[in-house]
Amino acid sequence: MSALRTQFERDGFLVLPDFVGPGACAALREAADALAAETDLDEVRTIFDVREQRHGEDRWFLDSGGEVRAFLEPERDGDAVRINKIGHALHDRLPSFDRFSRTPELAALVRELGVARPLLLQSMLIFKEPRVGGEVTAHQDATYLVTEPPSVLGLWFALDDATRENGCLELLPGGHREGLRRRYRRDGDRTWTEELDARPWPEAGWRAAEVRAGALVVFHGLTPHRSGPNRSTRTRRAYTLHVIDGAARYADDNWLRRPPELPLRGFS
Ligand SMILES: O=C(O)CCC(=O)C(=O)O
């Protein structure tokens, strides 16, 4: 087993500085900014603001597995509405994200970490804007993306320098050996979270992944992770990809469903 894989299996994550070159990182930042600029915030705000459209809000999320859709920060920056994230099929809908997501280096890393038949399931741009970028509470990604056996792998790319001040990722080493705590299920338009293990995550032992732009943090689907709010004046954008193993069974009650015309693909 490679040293990298041994470390991954021990800690449940790897922090890989400079995984993405400055050119590719700058190109993705530009693509992210262009996407944000062309997002009609008024349209998105209507979906989130109008109370009677609660159902519409659910559909906006539930139907986003094969789309490119923006979600907003609950907190405003003065009067301005800010984007929290855009998801969940950027890698299959937009050429710049497709290129960034399907590199030989990434394919080799995912293979080295033991994913036999990788499928790129979900992508997100997380904006974590200055002042109002919201906290992400501790969770395991396998809560939301269930396969049998568990196979989801998170790939988190820093598009800006990330520090404790602007809400860098924090991970719990070894937490992936503690089993799945919660499972998010969907039946039609209804979703709910099933508690499998009520123990809280420990207060101590979290590792802050303070990284420069271009770093990749790769984590096991069972690894607990979180990020604090961004109260600083510096943005903290990240691009995430979630990969599953096509050799595992994708649970029928996963929230994320893809339209038939957009089948899941691997790295080629
Ligand atoms: O970028 C963040 O702050 C959190 C990302 C995250 O939780 C995830 O990718 O699952």
Side-chain angles (χ1 to χ4, degrees):
M1 193 182 292
S2 71
L4 212 59
R5 180 146 174 202
T6 304
Q7 190 185 340
F8 181 76
E9 295 201 349
R10 185 192 65 207
D11 294 342
F13 65 90
L14 297 168
V15 178
L16 304 172
D18 302 319
F19 188 87
V20 179
C25 199
L28 206 75
R29 270 197 304 267
E30 264 172 47
D33 287 345
L35 197 53
E38 74 195 29
T39 299
D40 182 349
L41 285 180
D42 285 337
E43 185 202 348
V44 182
R45 185 170 48 190
T46 306
I47 290 159
F48 284 88
D49 273 357
V50 181
R51 276 220 305 158
E52 303 83 85
Q53 291 195 351
R54 171 81 203 155
H55 182 68
E57 179 188 327
D58 293 343
R59 288 244 62 109
W60 184 256
F61 168 68
L62 289 174
D63 294 345
S64 67
E67 306 297 331
V68 175
R69 289 190 175 172
F71 300 86
L72 302 178
E73 289 291 355
E75 196 177 329
R76 310 237 161 143
D77 188 9
D79 286 340
V81 175
R82 299 286 184 223
I83 297 176
N84 169 285
K85 65 181 168 193
I86 298 180
H88 289 94
L90 292 85
H91 61 295
D92 284 330
R93 293 283 189 196
L94 304 173
S96 43
F97 291 88
D98 175 19
R99 268 195 304 281
F100 187 93
S101 307
R102 292 187 167 92
T103 63
E105 294 78 18
L106 206 50
L109 174 68
V110 168
R111 194 178 324 113
E112 184 174 346
L113 297 182
V115 183
R117 202 151 66 77
L119 293 173
L120 277 54
L121 177 62
Q122 166 185 280
S123 50
M124 292 186 279
L125 264 176
I126 301 172
F127 284 79
K128 203 76 142 178
E129 294 248 27
R131 295 174 291 280
V132 296
E135 173 188 12
V136 177
T137 56
H139 65 281
Q140 299 165 300
D141 288 346
T143 288
Y144 301 99
L145 304 169
V146 176
T147 66
E148 189 50 54
S151 69
V152 65
L153 195 65
L155 300 157
W156 185 100
F157 299 89
L159 301 184
D160 299 297
D161 296 349
T163 62
R164 285 179 178 83
E165 285 67 43
N166 66 357
C168 67
L169 206 57
E170 298 172 27
L171 307 104
L172 190 63
H176 62 304
R177 287 192 293 269
E178 299 255 337
L180 187 62
R181 298 283 168 98
R182 294 195 173 83
R183 180 167 171 180
Y184 187 63
R185 292 180 184 271
R186 171 176 177 182
D187 180 13
D189 285 354
R190 202 169 72 84
T191 59
W192 70 100
T193 303
E194 185 186 342
E195 186 151 73
L196 306 172
D197 180 342
R199 284 177 301 154
W201 297 112
E203 296 285 324
W206 291 81
R207 194 165 318 153
E210 292 197 296
V211 292
R212 308 294 299 264
L216 167 62
V217 183
V218 47
F219 46 94
H220 190 287
L222 290 171
T223 300
H225 57 284
R226 66 186 185 189
S227 67
N230 183 4
R231 296 293 175 207
S232 81
T233 53
R234 284 186 309 111
T235 192
R236 197 239 65 188
R237 286 162 295 184
Y239 175 63
T240 67
L241 254 186
H242 287 89
V243 174
I244 53 170
D245 196 333
R249 200 183 66 83
Y250 190 67
D252 293 337
D253 62 357
N254 271 314
W255 81 267
L256 195 158
R257 299 181 187 175
R258 299 260 296 201
E261 74 276 10
L262 199 69
L264 292 179
R265 289 167 49 211
F267 284 103
S268 51

